[in-house]
Amino acid sequence: MPAAAIRARARAEMINEIKTIARRHLAAEGANLSLRAVAREMGMVSSAIYRYFPSRDELLTALIVDGYHALGDAAEAADTEVADRADLRGRWLAVCQAIRRWALSNPAEYALLFGSPVPGYAAPQETTTAAARTPAVLIGILADGLATGALARPDPGELPGPVRSDLATVRDRLFPGLPEALLARGATAWIHCFGAVSFELFGQLNGVIEAREEYFDHQTRQMADLIGLPDAG
């Protein structure tokens, strides 16, 4: 193997080790990451770690991008596993359940993505690109429903004028052909899905709801009704 390839492999392995340790720190301390603390755990001098991540923010960005891609993998796999592509409701429910499972399995990463903003950190564009993978799954479900006629076009009059204008701008830039009112319903359902996950993960349901999975399923079915996703068959 050429020397350059060996060096590249060694660098990639070191970066992965740094991120693995940083995730442990996230789980223990939240987003208050310290490059010095990570270097200390690795047995490195603090200056050495800056060759891989020149700042805390660059390490946070790498963890955020990884988190969004992992969540996107989970959502896309759940959608793909629904064999009947015409089962729009089944696809929506599968994706929502996959998001919840990922969050419960990776609470620190979920909190980094959807919890309180990290003081002093401004996310670069690369995080936005990674974050778009998961909502793109929902957009695919909506687009498939429109294309087959299984999903009705809502009355545009159900939206306030300023909201319709905002969503038309978003639609024209990112989702050509998607009616503003349907985009609004999808966005509302999407926000509710993540709100339900956050309420469970961050303890707001403690002492209130014990049947967490059943309650989540109930909520996501209600959101399917809001979108207008038909029952299979």
Side-chain angles (χ1 to χ4, degrees):
M1 182 180 294
I6 294 173
R7 288 194 298 271
R9 174 180 290 183
R11 180 176 178 82
E13 290 174 352
M14 182 63 73
I15 287 173
N16 284 335
E17 184 178 354
I18 291 170
K19 290 193 291 186
T20 297
I21 292 173
R23 290 188 186 99
R24 289 206 296 267
H25 283 243
L26 279 180
E29 304 161 13
N32 186 28
L33 278 179
S34 165
L35 288 180
R36 290 178 181 274
V38 173
R40 191 162 51 246
E41 183 171 338
M42 295 182 67
M44 301 169 62
V45 295
S46 58
S47 59
I49 201 169
Y50 291 101
R51 294 201 296 267
Y52 302 94
F53 293 100
S55 69
R56 178 210 68 163
D57 285 4
E58 291 203 22
L59 177 55
L60 278 175
T61 294
L63 296 176
I64 289 169
V65 169
D66 284 354
Y68 276 130
H69 280 311
L71 180 58
D73 287 343
E76 291 168 3
D79 181 40
T80 301
E81 287 170 4
V82 179
D84 183 0
R85 307 309 292 161
D87 183 8
L88 304 177
R89 177 176 288 251
R91 290 167 63 187
W92 158 259
L93 296 174
V95 170
C96 289
Q97 289 290 351
I99 291 168
R100 176 178 178 269
R101 286 194 301 271
W102 186 86
L104 294 179
S105 297
N106 303 275
E109 287 87 347
Y110 182 89
L112 181 62
L113 302 182
F114 301 106
S116 299
V118 179
Y121 174 77
Q125 180 61 35
E126 62 186 294
T127 63
T128 304
T129 302
R133 285 184 58 191
T134 304
V137 179
L138 171 61
I139 295 301
I141 294 171
L142 299 182
D144 287 352
L146 281 176
T148 61
L151 198 53
R153 292 175 176 266
D155 179 0
E158 70 182 45
L159 288 178
V163 176
R164 188 163 62 250
S165 177
D166 287 344
L167 289 175
T169 300
V170 174
R171 184 271 318 279
D172 292 344
R173 187 173 73 249
L174 300 174
F175 314 117
L178 198 67
E180 299 99 318
L182 182 58
L183 180 58
R185 289 186 182 186
T188 298
W190 202 242
I191 291 167
H192 190 101
C193 172
F194 280 90
V197 170
S198 295
F199 258 59
E200 178 178 357
L201 195 66
F202 301 145
Q204 278 83 3
L205 296 182
N206 292 351
V208 181
I209 299 291
E210 297 302 324
R212 304 290 174 79
E213 184 171 359
E214 293 84 352
Y215 185 49
F216 183 79
D217 183 66
H218 170 71
Q219 292 177 86
T220 53
R221 288 180 184 277
Q222 287 190 313
M223 290 301 101
D225 292 339
L226 172 68
I227 297 172
L229 300 174
D231 285 314

